Amino acid sequence: MASIFTFDHDPPRVNSPWESGQDSEKRPHPERSATTGVVVESDQHPGSDLERLEAEPQNGPIEYKLHLLLRSRRTYNKMSTTLRVSGSQQSRPIREAKQSRHAAVPLASSNQSRQNRLHHLTTQLLWRLQQSSPYHSTASRDLVIPKLPENVTDLAVLEKPGKLLPGLEESNGALYEIGVADDGTFVGLTKDEMDESMTTLKVMAASLGCKVEVQRMKAVGTCEWTDGTSGPAGEVQTADLWVAEALIMPVLNVQGSKGGEQRSQQSSAPRRDASITDQLRVSLIGPTTSGKTTLLGTLSNGMLDNGRGSSRINLLRHRHEVASGRTSSIAQELIGYDARKIFNYNADNINEWPDIHDRVMSEDGRLVFLLDSAGHPRYQRTTLRALIGWAPHWTLLCIPANEDTPPASGTHSLSGADGAMGVGIASLDMALAHLDLCLKLAIPLSILITKCELGQRTSLKEKLNIVFTKIKAIGRMPKLLTSPARDEDGLSEVSDADLRKIEEDVINPISDSGDPLSIVPIILTSAVRGIGIGLTHALLRSLPVPPSPTARDFVPLALNPEQPDALFHIDEVFEMSLSRAQSATTSVASESAPVITGYLRFGRLSIGDRVVLGPFPGDDEDTGALVPKDHPSPGYGLSIPHPLSAEFARLSSRNPPSASKVEGEWLQATIVNLRDLRLPVQTIEAGQAGSIQVVFDEASEPSHDGDLSEKTSLSSPRLRKGQVLAMPSQHMADTGLSLQATSSLTASFKTSDVKALTVNSLITAYVGMVRAPVRVLRVIRQKSDLDSRKVSTEDNDNDDVFGMNDHIELERTKSETDLDEYHAEYHVLLELLNSREWIELGSQIVLVEGGSKDKSGLEGHVGKVIEIGE
């Protein structure tokens, strides 16, 4: 199964059959008739000497139609194109092929028959348009066929293109060869029949949000018929027969917002062209042998594992992952729920994610976006990216039931067997390190005990005791859940018993407390026998979805006037070809444009919106000098920053740029394509994950006289992970403020262990999608309430004029000291060493020190950004 971020490097193209074997880009421009306005074949035009075309392809964006009339065609006495003379032998009359494939609707004069035929023809056009789109939905639920008027001449009022049907944004169009039989023979239509067919085609295209462009017309013969309206005997009429080629193209809506314009007038309700189904974002974490990917494969494929990892094969993205069995990257899967029904790849007619979207469009539907992360310490950055960068709504921690003997002391030691990072570390130790980090991050958490069919009862009980102790120590309540349903149930439907169990033990307690952190569900699972699979589906089906995020979630808007209207965190970057319609709406000459993936932190983005991306290195910065060489060293994972690294020392000596506006730091662009979890849409809403294709504005070059009159194509900027896409607010536009990147920040930490950080030490900071090396400039302990009370007591002691307490030695007990440290707050000033970043005020930050043989790489200090410096 392809992940959300895959795309076709070579999308389908629309090539005219008239130019078979020729380069379509080098063909002469067709000539347009001054009298009729249509394109007419000239003698010099390629294909003007063709007597027939190649047979119609069964698949693809090319359709041959004898006509598109909504009435019965007149009877002809003779047509020069139906009989061909070849030497001394005559060929038999041609026959229209494909009758069985397209199930032609009888033509009649009744309005109902005309409506049925129009519906049939429009559905056929939609299928052809989808053939030139890399990804599309097979459903046609949004297909709206206009109601035909009684008078055929009134069809012209229906030719104005309406709203583009979702899924056609990336279509390269379709070609219709009108007057051509399925075997490629030119049959032809008279002028009135061709005009009527073109009108029908324009009505069909307009109902899909497309337009029609006539590419060529050619006279192929003559015909004669008897006109019964001129008298009893009738008058014989003669006319030329024509064939035509028409290109149907989507009409993209590019009238988006520009830098905060019209945002105040928009309703907060989701638009019809955006996905309105609830989306739950869930990260799977755990040690490398916990079976995360195997369990995810069973949940998404609806099939049990064979005990040797068969269910995970389709989820692995790299060859080395298949060979080693270790996940090194984040893989994504999508599962849909509608009432009790589970929609995954095991359901009928589901081949891609858009098919899942189509099946869960009801009010009771839900989409669960699951992110599988790496478990080995070597890929520690991938784990932190899934936990911090993606900001999951819930986290599933997988702990294997069949490995390790729990330490007798109840604590875990991460010493490697051979002293190397990630080698010899016990699986339970790594699982407890993951648990500690999740508890520090205060993420809603659920624990899945995997491979329970292989675990021993005594060992499993000891593991659960350790997990329960850690969870209860911070005030949360663990809930061990067992399924009353059979093990084989729950692969295609969620049982009522499992739903009631989750409702009673998890959802109701969370609702009563009002805190999703209060309950930690624990489920015993087996991807081989199906134990707990149905209960896990019931959990994913029922977990509460947080409210839609806003720009005021972290700090009030008054304290952060530079907050944009919309903010999109960038995770990955690709390059993708532009469709014909997208190229027509942009002024750049490039055939491709970057695609960024991630999630929308807050706001709303639509196709055509004017946005800014960055921060990029300034025009006067040497970008090559800012990137450290990340060479792995023995004993450390590729993800762990190296202590005493010469590269970090070189970076730390660099003087940071000032906070004044850096020229070229933010680049303007236009959104040309949107996907919400691979579903093509016009708009994405706050909290939704997806991908955005943007086209950067052209750069202006000063001419010799100093005027910015000449425009040149901007070289492709180097987008990277951690940057943001934003839409400036109206306040920023009115006051002239711009997004401000930073090279330093101050973070607040509520734990005393942060004081162990050494000034001038080099560590790694994770905040949002940003992963950056930083230098500790200062660690300051803030005065707590206990300190204030202590000062007040000392002041009262000074009032003892008789000195009766001079001989009394006041010593603070250890419990008082511990309590003081518990309430202490530390402010840490950090300097970014690699590049300037845009960091949201009030966001969560995690500081990770360099890895060593006695650490997992997940020991981090969790705090909050309280100040953005220069």
Side-chain angles (χ1 to χ4, degrees), residues 794-854:
E794 291 176 349
D795 292 339
N796 292 335
D797 292 342
N798 292 333
D799 295 337
D800 184 11
V801 295
F802 297 101
M804 297 180 61
N805 295 329
D806 289 345
H807 67 284
I808 300 177
E809 182 179 2
L810 299 178
E811 294 183 354
R812 302 180 68 198
T813 62
K814 184 176 185 301
S815 60
E816 290 175 337
T817 303
D818 293 342
L819 185 61
D820 192 13
E821 285 294 329
Y822 179 77
H823 289 281
E825 179 180 354
Y826 290 85
H827 289 181
V828 180
L829 178 60
L830 303 168
E831 177 191 9
L832 301 177
L833 300 178
N834 198 339
S835 60
R836 291 162 60 85
E837 304 286 356
W838 191 90
I839 295 176
E840 186 175 1
L841 190 64
S843 56
Q844 194 175 55
I845 184 173
V846 178
L847 304 181
V848 180
E849 299 181 69
S852 62
K853 63 181 182 181
D854 59 345

Side-chain angles (χ1 to χ4, degrees), residues 669-731:
T670 302
I671 297 177
V672 296
N673 194 5
L674 285 174
R675 289 183 187 173
D676 180 5
L677 295 178
R678 292 192 66 185
L679 177 71
V681 294
Q682 296 283 329
T683 301
I684 58 173
E685 304 289 342
Q688 295 180 344
S691 54
I692 303 176
Q693 189 172 25
V694 296
V695 174
F696 286 98
D697 291 357
E698 292 182 338
S700 297
E701 274 192 357
S703 60
H704 297 291
D705 55 1
D707 295 332
L708 297 177
S709 56
E710 298 181 4
K711 287 189 175 182
T712 59
S713 180
L714 182 67
S715 59
S716 179
R718 188 188 177 201
L719 288 164
R720 58 175 173 82
K721 185 182 305 180
Q723 291 179 320
V724 296
L725 178 149
M727 177 177 292
S729 64
Q730 187 65 47
H731 171 73

Side-chain angles (χ1 to χ4, degrees), residues 209-411:
C210 301
K211 63 180 180 179
V212 177
E213 297 178 358
V214 179
Q215 300 297 297
R216 72 189 76 229
M217 290 188 67
K218 178 181 179 179
V220 295
T222 59
C223 66
E224 65 177 42
W225 72 96
T226 302
D227 186 1
T229 61
S230 58
E235 180 180 351
V236 176
Q237 303 284 342
T238 61
D240 292 333
L241 293 173
W242 295 82
V243 295
E245 181 182 65
L247 175 65
I248 300 91
M249 289 290 297
V251 178
L252 297 181
N253 174 26
V254 297
Q255 303 299 323
S257 300
K258 177 181 179 181
E261 294 178 4
Q262 302 176 350
R263 286 292 175 181
S264 59
Q265 302 176 359
Q266 291 183 357
S267 170
S268 59
R271 299 178 181 180
R272 293 183 58 189
D273 49 6
S275 174
I276 59 175
T277 307
D278 285 343
Q279 295 183 9
L280 185 71
R281 193 161 59 247
V282 179
S283 289
L284 271 76
I285 63 170
T288 189
T289 57
S290 61
K292 304 181 300 299
T293 308
T294 300
L295 179 63
L296 178 57
T298 298
L299 293 172
S300 60
N301 295 332
M303 300 177 62
L304 297 179
D305 187 67
N306 63 355
R308 297 184 296 274
S310 61
S311 63
R312 71 180 180 186
I313 293 299
N314 291 329
L315 274 69
L316 301 178
R317 302 176 62 183
H318 304 288
R319 183 172 299 177
H320 70 85
E321 293 179 331
V322 178
S324 65
R326 295 175 180 172
T327 302
S328 63
S329 60
I330 293 182
Q332 302 89 12
E333 278 301 338
L334 187 67
I335 303 176
Y337 299 94
D338 191 357
R340 295 175 51 238
K341 186 68 176 176
I342 302 172
F343 293 104
N344 51 24
Y345 291 109
N346 194 38
D348 294 336
N349 299 323
I350 290 184
N351 299 312
E352 293 183 344
W353 288 14
D355 300 328
I356 298 178
H357 282 271
D358 294 334
R359 306 290 286 275
V360 294
M361 291 298 293
S362 66
E363 296 181 358
D364 204 20
R366 163 178 291 194
L367 294 170
V368 178
F369 178 41
L370 296 119
L371 300 105
D372 180 29
S373 64
H376 197 276
R378 181 181 180 88
Y379 309 110
Q380 161 244 28
R381 71 173 68 176
T382 305
T383 303
L384 293 173
R385 177 176 148 210
L387 277 176
I388 303 169
W390 273 100
H393 301 145
W394 282 79
T395 298
L396 302 182
L397 171 60
C398 297
I399 301 177
N402 66 323
E403 297 181 4
D404 310 328
T405 301
S409 62
T411 60

